[in-house]
Amino acid sequence: MKTVLKIFAWVAGVLLFVVLAFVSFVLLKWDQKYDAPYPELSATSDSTMIARGKYLVYGPAHCSVCHNSMDKMEALERGEMLPLAGGMEFVFEPGTLRSRNLTPDEETGIGKLTDAEIARVMRYSVGADGRPLFPLMPFQNMSDSDVIAIISYLRSQEKVKNEIKPSEYSFLGKAILALGMIKPEGPIETPPTTIAVEPTPVYGKYLANSVANCVGCHSPRDLMSGAFIGPKFSGGLILEDVPGAPFITPNLTPDPETGVMANWTEDAFIERFRAGKVYENTPMPWSSFGNMSDVDLRALYRYIMSLDPVSNKVEKTPYMLEVGASE
Ligand code: HEC
Ligand code: HEC
């Protein structure tokens, strides 16, 4: 009996040691900073570039819906071009992330950040202070010209003083950071200098993967690390951390049986985007995407229809079935 107790005490001691060592490791290491190159891109006052930046910010890149607080969503949905004063809270298990004020205010906005620092956020997913950012802004492969256009537009906005509290991480979030599961991520290859805006699959591929993040929501992913774990655009990602209900993303590939768009014509696709959201609280930024030009929507359609069909039946969540049925 005594031996059993001794072994038990020994095992408990080892376990306690391991737990304490892990906790201290996490607490010491979560706040680690990273280095990443500063892109040599600078803002311009060229009006065509500023107009392109504005289009991207309120349209395909949808910075506007994340970089404003919840109470501004209705106005944005009505088409008001509100300045990007920040304040949206993303509450999920790893913590509470708060989108920053992107107006040129010196104290509370991007007034004190350099163009290269902002470009680095977009290209390497790393904050100006070197902290790695959770993968909400996958703009790594955006063209030089579009990154410049966006920064130029941000600089041209009116200044709004709006102090945003820093993001906070739970113990799980800190453990993820300490273990280096979230790291700055750079472009997969040298990003294009410019990209031709025309209704082609090439431009559609660029929009879906490097600007509008269709790929990020409409693909199977590991929710902790964000890694892609199945065929891209085949849907099935469950989005839990949305007020209201869990959502699941449909399969966009042109599979005749399981792809949601397989039977849509190009015009039907455009009409669907002009019509806006069907589900209250849907995480898909329908209002921004509704601002997209016909050229951009045609390009997206032609790219999506050129993908290999993937058979993946996605069952709607109970909430989606309920709202869908009441239409
Ligand atoms: C899906 C939501 C979402 C979208 C879309 C989005 N952002 Fe963000 N952004 C955030 C959140 C959340 C943070 C705060 C991240 C943190 O603190 O870890 C942030 C932070 C930032 C920061 C500050 C990083 C730092 O140094 O602290 C910049 C700059 C920025 N975003 C620019 C943009 C631009 C430009 C766009 C559009 C091209 C954009 N964001 C689109 C959610 C978003
Ligand atoms: C933040 C996540 C997110 C992003 C980004 C996103 N989607 Fe979605 N999408 C969803 C969700 C969730 C649904 C199901 C709920 C709904 O229809 O609103 C959906 C539904 C759809 C549907 C089906 C609509 C219908 O009426 O059946 C299409 C088509 C679609 N998305 C295309 C796209 C395209 C194209 C892009 C990029 C331009 C995109 N999505 C970006 C989350 C997203």
Side-chain angles (χ1 to χ4, degrees), residues 201-280:
V202 175
Y203 180 53
K205 178 178 183 186
Y206 170 76
L207 287 175
N209 292 279
S210 308
V211 180
N213 199 26
C214 319
V215 69
C217 284
H218 285 276
S219 304
R221 295 174 77 180
D222 177 285
L223 286 177
M224 285 298 157
S225 65
F228 289 89
I229 50 173
K232 290 188 175 173
F233 298 100
S234 66
L237 184 72
I238 295 174
L239 298 158
E240 296 268 7
D241 302 297
V242 189
F247 277 88
I248 191 161
T249 55
N251 176 357
L252 296 186
T253 71
D255 180 57
E257 313 252 295
T258 64
V260 70
M261 282 174 46
N263 302 318
W264 296 10
T265 61
E266 192 166 305
D267 287 339
F269 180 76
I270 294 179
E271 267 169 44
R272 177 66 195 87
F273 274 79
R274 297 277 175 251
K277 69 175 179 199
V278 168
Y279 306 102
E280 203 52 43

Side-chain angles (χ1 to χ4, degrees), residues 290-309:
N291 294 334
M292 279 197 273
S293 68
D294 278 10
V295 169
D296 283 20
L297 289 170
R298 286 186 196 287
L300 276 169
Y301 180 85
R302 290 175 197 182
Y303 166 63
I304 290 170
M305 284 303 170
S306 78
L307 295 168
D308 287 336

Side-chain angles (χ1 to χ4, degrees), residues 70-89:
M70 243 359 228
D71 56 332
K72 305 279 172 55
M73 289 306 119
E74 267 184 44
L76 284 163
E77 276 173 27
R78 284 196 303 269
E80 280 182 44
M81 307 259 165
L82 301 177
L84 279 64
M88 175 77 79
E89 289 200 341

Side-chain angles (χ1 to χ4, degrees), residues 62-63 66-67 98 100 102 127-128 131 133 136-137 139 167:
H62 61 278
C63 324
C66 283
H67 284 274
R98 300 189 180 92
R100 316 312 309 161
L102 299 185
R131 76 190 188 289
L133 302 178
L136 289 172
M137 297 182 284
F139 306 120
S167 298

